[in-house]
C-alpha cells in the first residue's frame, strides 16, 4: 500500500481526501489483506484495516520479529504501521475542517453578508 502521489501537496492545500482515497494498493498487498480488497480496490475503513493488520500479524510483535524478520519488515514498510494513525488523523481533520469552514461561511453569508470573515468570527470570541 502506498500513499497517493500528491499527498503532501494536498495536505498543504487543505484538500486531503478521506483516508480510504489516500491509499493506493500495490502488487502483493493482497497476500496480507485479501479480506479487505474487492474488485482491486480497498473495501472498508482504513482504521479498521490497520487495526485488523495489527491484531492479525502483530498480536505478538516481538515473536514475529524474531521468527520471521523478513515478513515483519515487509509488513512494517508496506502498510505504514509506524505512522498510519497520524495519516488518518490528518485526513480526517482536513475533511472536518473543510466541512465546518463551509458551514461557517454559509451562516455568515446568510446572516451577515456585509460583514468580513474576521469580524464575523469575532462574534464567537469571549470578551
Amino acid at each position: 500500500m502506498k500513499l497517493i502521489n500528491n499527498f503532501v501537496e494536498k495536505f498543504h492545500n487543505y484538500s486531503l481526501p478521506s483516508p480510504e482515497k489516500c491509499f493506493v494498493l500495490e502488487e502483493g498487498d493482497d497476500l496480507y489483506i485479501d479480506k479487505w480488497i474487492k474488485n482491486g480496490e480497498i473495501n472498508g475503513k482504513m482504521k479498521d484495516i490497520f487495526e485488523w493488520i495489527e491484531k492479525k500479524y502483530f498480536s505478538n510483535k516481538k515473536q514475529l520479529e524474531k521468527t520471521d524478520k523478513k515478513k515483519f519488515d515487509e509488513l512494517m514498510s508496506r502498510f505504514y504501521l509506524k505512522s498510519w494513525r497520524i495519516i488518518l488523523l490528518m485526513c480526517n481533520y482536513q475533511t472536518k475542517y473543510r466541512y465546518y469552514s463551509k458551514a461557517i461561511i454559509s451562516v455568515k453569508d446568510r446572516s451577515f453578508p456585509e460583514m468580513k470573515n474576521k469580524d464575523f468570527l469575532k462574534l464567537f470570541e469571549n470578551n
Side-chain angles (χ1 to χ4, degrees):
M1 212 181 277
K2 65 180 182 176
L3 288 172
I4 54 176
N5 290 334
N6 55 352
F7 181 86
V8 174
E9 180 184 329
K10 286 185 174 283
F11 172 73
H12 288 293
N13 293 330
Y14 297 100
S15 60
L16 283 177
S18 68
E20 293 74 25
K21 293 182 181 175
C22 280
F23 289 94
V24 179
L25 292 172
E26 291 183 293
E27 188 176 321
D29 287 345
D30 56 329
L31 296 173
Y32 301 102
I33 59 168
D34 189 42
K35 169 183 177 174
W36 298 96
I37 299 174
K38 186 174 184 180
N39 298 327
E41 294 185 10
I42 297 169
N43 184 30
K45 297 241 180 240
M46 289 309 298
K47 181 181 179 195
D48 296 339
I49 294 170
F50 285 119
E51 287 175 346
W52 179 84
I53 291 170
E54 286 181 340
K55 185 177 179 181
K56 178 170 176 133
Y57 297 106
F58 294 98
S59 59
N60 194 341
K61 188 176 182 178
K62 290 182 181 180
Q63 185 176 353
L64 178 64
E65 188 173 14
K66 289 178 184 175
T67 58
D68 196 347
K69 178 78 170 142
K70 185 177 179 182
K71 183 176 184 178
F72 175 84
D73 291 340
E74 184 172 359
L75 284 164
M76 291 299 285
S77 64
R78 181 180 289 272
F79 294 108
Y80 294 92
L81 291 174
K82 290 183 179 179
S83 56
W84 71 266
R85 286 176 178 83
I86 192 74
I87 294 168
L88 296 186
L89 180 70
M90 291 186 298
C91 293
N92 289 328
Y93 169 78
Q94 286 198 356
T95 301
K96 290 176 184 174
Y97 172 81
R98 286 191 305 273
Y99 171 78
Y100 289 119
S101 294
K102 289 177 184 176
I104 290 170
I105 290 169
S106 177
V107 169
K108 180 204 138 305
D109 288 345
R110 290 182 186 169
S111 304
F112 305 96
E114 70 284 346
M115 194 179 273
K116 294 181 182 178
N117 284 345
K118 287 184 180 179
D119 296 331
F120 176 75
L121 293 174
K122 286 181 183 179
L123 294 173
F124 301 99
E125 292 179 357
N126 288 337
N127 293 330

